[in-house]
Amino acid sequence: MTASRIKKSISTLFLVIVLLPNALAQSTKHNGSRGLTKVFTTSEINQLELLQTFFESQICTIDSITVEKCYAQYISSILKDTISGELDFNISFGKQQKIYEQLDSSLINEIWWFGEMRMSDTVGVFKYISLKRSGKYADFLKLLGKRDKIMWEYQRSALGEDFYAPSFVTGMVQTPTAFELSNPNVRLVLAIHFLTLNDFVNRMESF
């Protein structure tokens, strides 16, 4: 896949995603959340909460009264960036990498895999991450999809095709409902989604 096609795919993806969120909210904690406890251990859930808390610390401001409003405002800002052509996730990749260091490698391997992308014959081959199509996180997405139509569409596309491929947005475009931002599990998925994209555009590591 060429770099231009990837950038086009990401822009299209954001145009779809930013139209979806609309909901209420609860806390960030996943105490007893169905789905997580069926797939992940207590230690892994604590690490996932660390990942989500970091994401929220990057996107939330003092003006964000509730966490769901915070997510909605962030996604709206991504829409504006997409329209202006100056996409900025406003997430410190350096701090994101520090969070990675606090996660067990086994958990990281349950969520992501490394691929390679050739930018050009002169620039070389670089690493990028994408969601794994199998493993605990994939199982978690599938479990959410059994109870939530939009999450079913999301996991089907995210796990069925390359994360950055145009086909990823197909199911999302046809989904009339919004993400249930009152559900901490859904917010976790969005956090991992945007952190994955932020990693992709900022990682400059040779393969």
Side-chain angles (χ1 to χ4, degrees), residues 16 50 126 154:
V16 174
L50 177 65
F126 292 88
Y154 178 87

Side-chain angles (χ1 to χ4, degrees), residues 184-204:
N185 287 342
V186 172
R187 296 198 301 271
L188 173 63
V189 171
L190 289 173
I192 290 177
H193 177 84
F194 284 110
L195 288 174
T196 302
L197 292 172
N198 188 59
D199 188 303
F200 175 78
V201 299
N202 285 287
R203 184 181 292 273
M204 295 299 293

Side-chain angles (χ1 to χ4, degrees), residues 58-129:
Q58 294 291 291
I59 70 169
C60 294
T61 66
I62 57 175
D63 296 326
S64 301
I65 300 176
T66 57
V67 68
E68 83 282 0
K69 182 178 179 180
C70 177
Y71 275 73
Q73 289 177 337
Y74 176 73
I75 295 171
S76 294
S77 72
I78 296 299
L79 172 59
K80 293 178 182 178
D81 286 349
T82 304
I83 294 175
S84 68
E86 299 180 358
L87 188 59
D88 185 355
F89 294 106
N90 292 310
I91 300 172
S92 169
F93 186 56
K95 292 180 179 179
Q96 184 172 335
Q97 289 179 304
K98 291 293 184 182
I99 292 297
Y100 289 158
E101 294 175 1
Q102 300 179 53
L103 306 180
D104 292 340
S105 59
S106 58
L107 177 60
I108 291 176
N109 291 333
E110 293 290 347
I111 303 173
W112 296 293
W113 64 277
F114 278 102
E116 61 178 74
M117 175 178 59
R118 179 174 293 279
M119 301 299 292
S120 70
D121 291 336
T122 56
V123 175
V125 179
F126 292 88
K127 287 183 178 180
Y128 73 92
I129 66 169

Side-chain angles (χ1 to χ4, degrees), residues 109-157:
N109 291 333
E110 293 290 347
I111 303 173
W112 296 293
W113 64 277
F114 278 102
E116 61 178 74
M117 175 178 59
R118 179 174 293 279
M119 301 299 292
S120 70
D121 291 336
T122 56
V123 175
V125 179
F126 292 88
K127 287 183 178 180
Y128 73 92
I129 66 169
S130 189
L131 297 183
K132 291 189 71 171
R133 299 179 185 180
S134 62
K136 286 188 175 182
Y137 187 66
D139 292 342
F140 170 61
L141 289 179
K142 293 173 184 176
L143 197 57
L144 285 184
K146 292 180 178 180
R147 305 188 180 100
D148 185 323
K149 181 179 178 181
I150 196 170
M151 293 311 302
W152 180 81
E153 294 285 356
Y154 178 87
Q155 65 84 23
R156 186 183 67 168
S157 299

